[in-house]
Amino acid sequence: MSLKSERRGIHVDQSELLCKKGCGYYGNPAWQGFCSKCWREKYHKARQKQIQEDWELAERLQREEEEAFASSQSGPGAQSLTFSKFEEKKTNEKTRKVTTVKKFFSASSRVGSKKAEIQEAKAPSPSINRQASNEADRVSKEFIEFLKTFHKTGQEIYKQTKMFLETIYYKRDLSIEEQSECTQDFYQNVDERMQTHGKVPSERVEKIMDQIKKYIMTRVYKYVFCPETTDNEKKDLAIQKRIRALNWVTPQMLCVPVNEEISEVSVMVVKAITDIIEMDSKHVPRDKLACITKCSKHIFNAIKITKNEPASADDFLPTLIYIVLKGNPPRLQSNIQYITRFCNPSRLMAGEDGYYFTNLCCAVAFIEKLDAQSLNLSQEDFDLYMSSQTSPRKQESENWVPDACLGVKQMYKNLDLLSQLNERQERVMSEAKKLEKDLIEWTDGIAKEVQDIVEKYLLEIKPPNQSLAAIDSENVENYKLPPPLQPQVYAG
């Protein structure tokens, strides 16, 4: 592992967390850097413009259709009858469009219009209690018991809440953004009615609104959390795969000021990971946000114990990134989107909850775009680590605490030595496989060359010549040789 320069830490200026419009509230990457208030204003303007354009287009097409149909008719009586029919049709069409648009943007206090809308449905509404889970039933009982203390005001709130749940059931075919808008409009309307008409104190209004949100979001959780019409599930799998691929990232690479060898710090890290994972088990956005806040406070405590001084914002974000990488929370993107859409906007725009949530969004965005330059690594090392071909050697700590156990120090030295031996063995095995491959290729090459030569220069095998007769054979005349000597016997 080669470092290009000294690591200066992951720094996010405070101004980068604020709304792009400059209103002073915290922004959110899910809202393109705007706060909830500015985003809703921008969204409403764009939507109103789109609705106006759709109306103009529908009216123009209607006029063209009327003119084309009227011109095809013959006779003044037929033309007058046709015109009257189209006038009636046009009026009905306009009425239907106005009703549809009002459903999106009308205040939730208009109980009469919503009641008429529900009564016009063909099929009766199934009982919500039969579809709810055990937790939803428990929350419903708690909600009813809570409203009993408010007498008439509680009855009116329960009536409006019940009507809103039934309306949301019929609006499940709308996009999740439109359902979020309807829900936020209902919250705002109930809040205003309690303060103006009911004259309920602001302290009690906040408690009532928390109970209303808890009741509503628990009942509609399975419909609005990670709906099939969105790509949240795809994003969840992508970020999980990304975090698994980054399991080699060490605290030193992120400049995390946390020493997990201290027992108290290690406990805080475990608690922080537990809280960020527990977020997925909560159904109410406020409870999910509370898990993020508890996780962040454990992180600040871990930094404070390690440094013996209060933690700064520049220390918090790298540590939060490390906690997310180490915990790999389930359905992370879906939980962030769910909180963004259905949590009280005031909680996300200001206060510690909004600050911690904004930092979590920044941490996820950093993980998605993390590259070699972000960790001060060479591209070659980064690619090797990402492909799991090798892992960075654990850097030996230069700042051991005075009371650190000698056995722990020796253990880390042995782990470092084993890591080096493992890398060396991997290199030897890689070179051995390469040598084996080269030998096989050389043998195959030689065999091919021999085969080519044999095919190019064919051998002609001729039959052997007739053997010559021996010198002392019987056919000696042909060689014009004298006859062999005959032994002679002499008498002595």
Side-chain angles (χ1 to χ4, degrees), residues 103 130 179 199 277 290 410 423-424:
K103 287 193 298 181
R130 290 198 300 267
Q179 295 183 39
K199 296 182 180 180
I277 292 176
Q410 187 62 38
E423 292 180 5
R424 181 179 178 183

Side-chain angles (χ1 to χ4, degrees), residues 3-170:
L3 293 174
K4 295 180 179 179
S5 60
E6 184 179 356
R7 181 71 174 163
R8 299 178 60 185
I10 301 171
H11 174 74
V12 175
D13 192 80
Q14 186 73 13
S15 61
E16 298 179 11
L17 303 178
L18 300 178
C19 177
K20 291 168 58 177
K21 197 173 180 179
C23 63
Y25 294 110
Y26 289 117
N28 192 321
W31 296 325
Q32 299 179 3
F34 293 97
C35 67
S36 175
K37 181 180 178 181
C38 298
W39 172 252
R40 282 165 65 86
E41 292 177 357
K42 180 180 178 182
Y43 178 80
H44 274 303
K45 290 180 181 179
R47 183 155 185 80
Q48 290 290 350
K49 182 179 179 182
Q50 183 65 36
I51 291 173
Q52 184 64 27
E53 292 177 354
D54 292 343
W55 278 16
E56 293 175 357
L57 177 61
E59 290 179 356
R60 181 173 62 82
L61 294 176
Q62 184 68 29
R63 286 196 302 268
E64 293 177 357
E65 184 180 357
E66 291 175 7
E67 294 173 359
F69 189 83
S71 62
S72 63
Q73 302 296 319
S74 59
Q79 187 174 1
S80 176
L81 180 61
T82 303
F83 181 76
S84 63
K85 288 184 177 180
F86 271 101
E87 281 294 322
E88 182 181 358
K89 182 178 179 182
K90 181 179 179 180
T91 304
N92 294 336
E93 183 68 17
K94 282 188 176 181
T95 304
R96 186 184 66 80
K97 291 177 181 177
V98 172
T99 305
T100 303
V101 175
K102 283 184 177 180
K103 287 193 298 181
F104 294 160
F105 301 100
S106 60
S108 300
S109 62
R110 300 173 185 173
V111 181
S113 62
K114 292 188 176 182
K115 186 174 181 180
E117 175 191 349
I118 296 174
Q119 290 176 351
E120 291 175 359
K122 295 181 180 179
S125 172
S127 175
I128 299 178
N129 292 327
R130 290 198 300 267
Q131 299 177 358
S133 61
N134 294 332
E135 182 179 358
D137 293 336
R138 178 181 58 81
V139 172
S140 300
K141 293 178 182 179
E142 293 178 357
F143 183 64
I144 294 173
E145 292 295 328
F146 174 79
L147 293 179
K148 284 182 180 180
T149 59
F150 295 92
H151 306 292
K152 187 177 180 180
T153 303
Q155 294 177 1
E156 183 65 22
I157 292 173
Y158 182 76
K159 182 179 179 181
Q160 292 187 21
T161 306
K162 196 78 171 178
M163 185 66 68
F164 173 75
L165 285 176
E166 294 179 352
T167 305
I168 282 292
Y169 176 79
Y170 283 108

Side-chain angles (χ1 to χ4, degrees), residues 472-488:
D472 56 349
S473 63
E474 297 180 354
N475 191 14
V476 294
E477 290 80 8
N478 294 336
Y479 297 94
K480 298 179 181 181
L481 295 175
L485 297 175
Q486 296 293 332
Q488 296 180 5

